[in-house]
Amino acid sequence: MVGGCCVCADENGWTDNPLIYCDGENCEVAVHQGCYGIQEVPEGEWFCAKCSSAAAKVPGGANEATFCCQLCPFDYGALKKTDRGGWAHVICALYIPEVRFGNVHSMEPVILSDVPCDKFNRTCYLCNEERPVDAKKGACMSCNKSTCKRSFHVTCAQRKGLLCEEGAISRNVKYCGYCEGHLKKAP
């Protein structure tokens, strides 16, 4: 898990975009208000979508696997409900360009219907080295170097520091990532 915000990994919070921590039992989710689509900063306890949903379930009816991201093999982090009845990380939704949010302000549900099947059939080269059983789970993004054929899960790239934002000068930020070989050569 990354330090600070589960979405942007920044450890700082600001008055107009505070870092908010989930009060769920054994939950380590911390997110910026803007990174998770929190409409109003709570005065008391706050629970992430996963913990809120788990609390509403009938005891014994839910297990950890129920909350696994549909775009990667992990169940921890800042998750939101999808249009398919499952879950997806906000970070995964931001970095796979075909994914969108039903409501951009609340950042939910995560709409997966436009993600090409091809992305779900790719192998994460990072998982393949470390956890081969997870390599084909979820959907993979491509290295932003146009001639590169490597693909990887967004969360795997986040852990390795391979994600970046380009075009921040304009209002349109492009969320992208590079494989380990092309990150050093990125513009």
Side-chain angles (χ1 to χ4, degrees):
M1 201 150 158
V2 297
C5 176
C6 292
V7 180
C8 73
D10 194 325
E11 295 179 5
N12 298 309
W14 301 272
T15 304
D16 61 343
N17 194 20
L19 195 55
I20 302 171
Y21 298 84
C22 180
D23 290 307
E25 188 176 333
N26 298 321
C27 186
E28 297 180 13
V29 168
V31 291
H32 288 107
Q33 179 182 5
C35 290
Y36 197 67
I38 300 170
Q39 301 298 300
E40 291 184 35
V41 177
E43 290 189 28
E45 291 184 325
W46 175 79
F47 298 93
C48 68
K50 177 182 171 181
C51 288
S52 293
S53 182
K57 298 246 186 222
V58 177
N63 60 31
E64 289 282 339
T66 305
F67 297 105
C68 192
C69 179
Q70 292 178 301
L71 298 170
C72 78
F74 303 111
D75 62 1
Y76 58 80
L79 295 158
K80 291 277 192 163
K81 289 185 179 183
T82 71
D83 61 332
R84 295 181 178 177
W87 295 86
H89 290 108
V90 172
I91 189 78
C92 292
L94 290 171
Y95 278 82
I96 296 179
E98 298 85 0
V99 177
R100 57 190 167 82
F101 296 106
N103 179 315
V104 295
H105 301 292
S106 65
M107 301 176 85
E108 59 187 333
V110 176
I111 309 292
L112 302 176
S113 57
D114 295 333
V115 179
C117 293
D118 167 60
K119 292 207 175 187
F120 287 98
N121 294 326
R122 294 181 187 175
T123 301
C124 172
Y125 89 93
L126 296 167
C127 277
N128 215 24
E129 294 170 359
E130 301 169 9
R131 298 172 321 283
V133 72
D134 291 334
K136 285 229 173 245
K137 292 179 181 176
C140 290
M141 65 184 290
S142 300
C143 175
N144 202 50
K145 176 76 172 170
S146 60
T147 57
C148 185
K149 301 293 183 212
R150 284 189 159 172
S151 296
F152 39 84
H153 294 120
V154 173
T155 47
C156 293
Q158 184 185 41
R159 279 185 316 131
K160 295 274 191 177
L162 303 174
L163 299 178
C164 59
E165 297 175 10
E166 294 179 352
I169 296 168
S170 72
R171 295 195 84 156
N172 297 323
V173 174
K174 179 181 178 185
Y175 295 101
C176 57
Y178 292 90
C179 71
E180 292 165 307
H182 290 122
L183 181 66
K184 295 173 184 85
K185 301 171 191 167

